[in-house]
Amino acid sequence: MAERGKRIGIVGAGAIGGFYGTLLARAGHDVHFLLRSEYETVQQQGLTVHSTVHGALHLDDVQAYRHAEQMPACDWLLLGAKTTSNAELAPLLGQIAAPGARIVSLQNGLGVEDALRPLLPADLHLLGGLCYVCAYRSAPGVVEHQALGAVSLAYHSGPAAMGEASAIVEDAVRLFGSSGVNASGLPDLEQARWQKLVWNAPYNGVSVLLDAGTKGLMSHPQSRLLVKTLMEETIRAAAACGYVLPAGLADRMLAGTDAMPDYFPSMYHDFKHGRPLELEAIYEVPLSRAMAAGCVMPRTEMLLQALKFIAR
């Protein structure tokens, strides 16, 4: 059983924070949401998740706050905001965190925890979380969950010794598992982030560039080939950096995407709503690390330059 009595804070209640926060609250956990633009709507209407997996979910009485100083101290903090806001949110995490709190970064890209760690108090534990979920926010306080939902977790840094770090990861796995989420521990956070990037780098950027969801990208031979080529480039970069990914990974990811509902990745929604794109974590950091390892990623570099142009 997951340990009860621990207070959970959700920072960034968009698709990721709204989805997992709602599941945890419905499972009986004490969940508190730090909201900004959605605060008034959630106070009036609650939080709603339309899920193909869990059904129609709704939280009426949401423990929501507009300002960090209004929140109680939390034992767990789930960071579901985009990496573009981490520098702004890190001081707030320090305000909300109880002594020795566990912070879980549920974000995409490389170098996420490395960039966040120096901004946090030394007594806080930092974990990396990889979300394998098709979800997006359709309106303030409303999340559409189309498929999947698993979370993989690993300890990144903090005051824990090796044995304690493993126990903290096990606690995190039990916490998510208690809400009906398929959760597991990771042996190597960096390798897992490279592997997830094999999907994220092509589909996020190409969906913006071609104004298409996964079904459109997969149904056209040229866009499908472009996605696969970008995947293979990322796999080569990972290997150059010392992370050899499973054989046949690109083909399995393409087949898995074929089986998904038509999904528009998070970067597509950010672009459509005029929000900053996560170009650093998803493109710039991998490109920099690959270059340092002597590996060039010309197609990924071209995709990044095109995204910078249209997002300027």
Side-chain angles (χ1 to χ4, degrees):
M1 290 292 291
E3 188 176 0
R4 298 288 170 174
K6 297 296 185 182
R7 188 176 289 129
I8 303 167
I10 307 294
V11 179
I16 296 298
F19 174 63
Y20 292 109
T22 296
L23 290 180
L24 287 163
R26 285 179 59 86
H29 293 282
D30 183 17
V31 183
H32 300 255
F33 295 82
L34 179 61
L35 304 173
R36 290 181 289 184
S37 61
E38 301 190 16
Y39 174 79
E40 296 290 350
T41 301
V42 171
Q43 281 288 80
Q44 295 172 11
Q45 303 176 12
L47 275 170
T48 298
V49 176
H50 299 134
S51 173
T52 60
V53 178
H54 304 279
L57 309 177
H58 184 74
L59 291 182
D60 281 317
D61 299 319
V62 180
Q63 299 184 105
Y65 309 84
R66 192 194 299 273
H67 304 291
E69 56 268 23
Q70 298 170 335
M71 289 184 70
C74 294
D75 305 291
W76 289 91
L77 286 169
L78 309 186
L79 180 57
K82 298 298 172 63
T83 55
T84 51
S85 60
N86 278 3
E88 175 190 354
L89 292 176
L92 304 184
L93 295 174
Q95 291 180 37
I96 303 167
R102 292 97 179 265
I103 297 175
V104 184
S105 167
L106 301 174
Q107 299 176 311
N108 285 325
L110 286 185
V112 175
E113 294 81 17
D114 294 341
L116 188 59
R117 178 73 260 179
L119 307 177
L120 300 174
D123 71 310
L124 302 183
H125 303 277
L126 178 59
L127 290 78
L130 282 70
C131 303
Y132 302 92
V133 62
C134 295
Y136 66 96
R137 183 178 57 184
S138 59
V142 180
V143 176
E144 309 295 332
H145 174 223
Q146 295 176 276
L148 308 175
V151 176
S152 295
L153 301 138
Y155 192 87
H156 178 268
S157 58
M162 184 175 296
E164 185 187 357
S166 298
I168 289 173
V169 172
E170 291 172 5
D171 287 344
V173 169
R174 284 193 292 270
L175 179 69
F176 280 96
S178 69
S179 68
V181 170
N182 180 12
S184 60
L186 285 170
D188 190 323
L189 177 60
E190 191 74 3
Q191 171 129 354
R193 285 207 169 276
W194 270 110
Q195 184 161 324
K196 192 166 189 283
L197 194 69
V198 174
W199 194 96
N200 271 321
Y203 285 105
N204 271 284
V206 176
S207 72
V208 173
L209 204 62
L210 301 185
D211 192 21
T214 54
K215 288 297 184 189
L217 296 177
M218 292 294 89
S219 64
H220 195 281
Q222 276 68 43
S223 55
R224 188 184 185 95
L225 178 60
L226 173 59
V227 166
K228 184 175 183 180
T229 303
L230 288 163
M231 283 183 170
E232 292 171 341
E233 193 169 86
T234 304
I235 291 169
R236 288 195 297 273
C241 293
Y243 302 99
V244 178
L245 302 182
L249 178 62
D251 287 330
R252 287 198 300 277
M253 284 189 169
L254 290 169
T257 307
D258 284 331
M260 284 168 40
D262 193 18
Y263 178 61
F264 290 79
S266 59
M267 189 173 288
Y268 178 91
H269 293 284
D270 289 339
F271 177 71
K272 288 297 182 181
H273 291 91
R275 296 188 292 259
L277 306 186
E278 293 183 286
L279 300 181
E280 181 178 2
I282 295 179
Y283 298 107
E284 291 177 354
V285 173
L287 281 164
S288 175
R289 293 189 181 183
M291 183 176 294
C295 177
V296 294
M297 303 175 70
R299 293 172 180 83
T300 303
E301 175 68 31
M302 291 178 67
L303 177 58
L304 172 61
Q305 297 306 327
L307 292 169
K308 284 184 173 180
F309 176 81
I310 65 175
R312 68 195 188 281

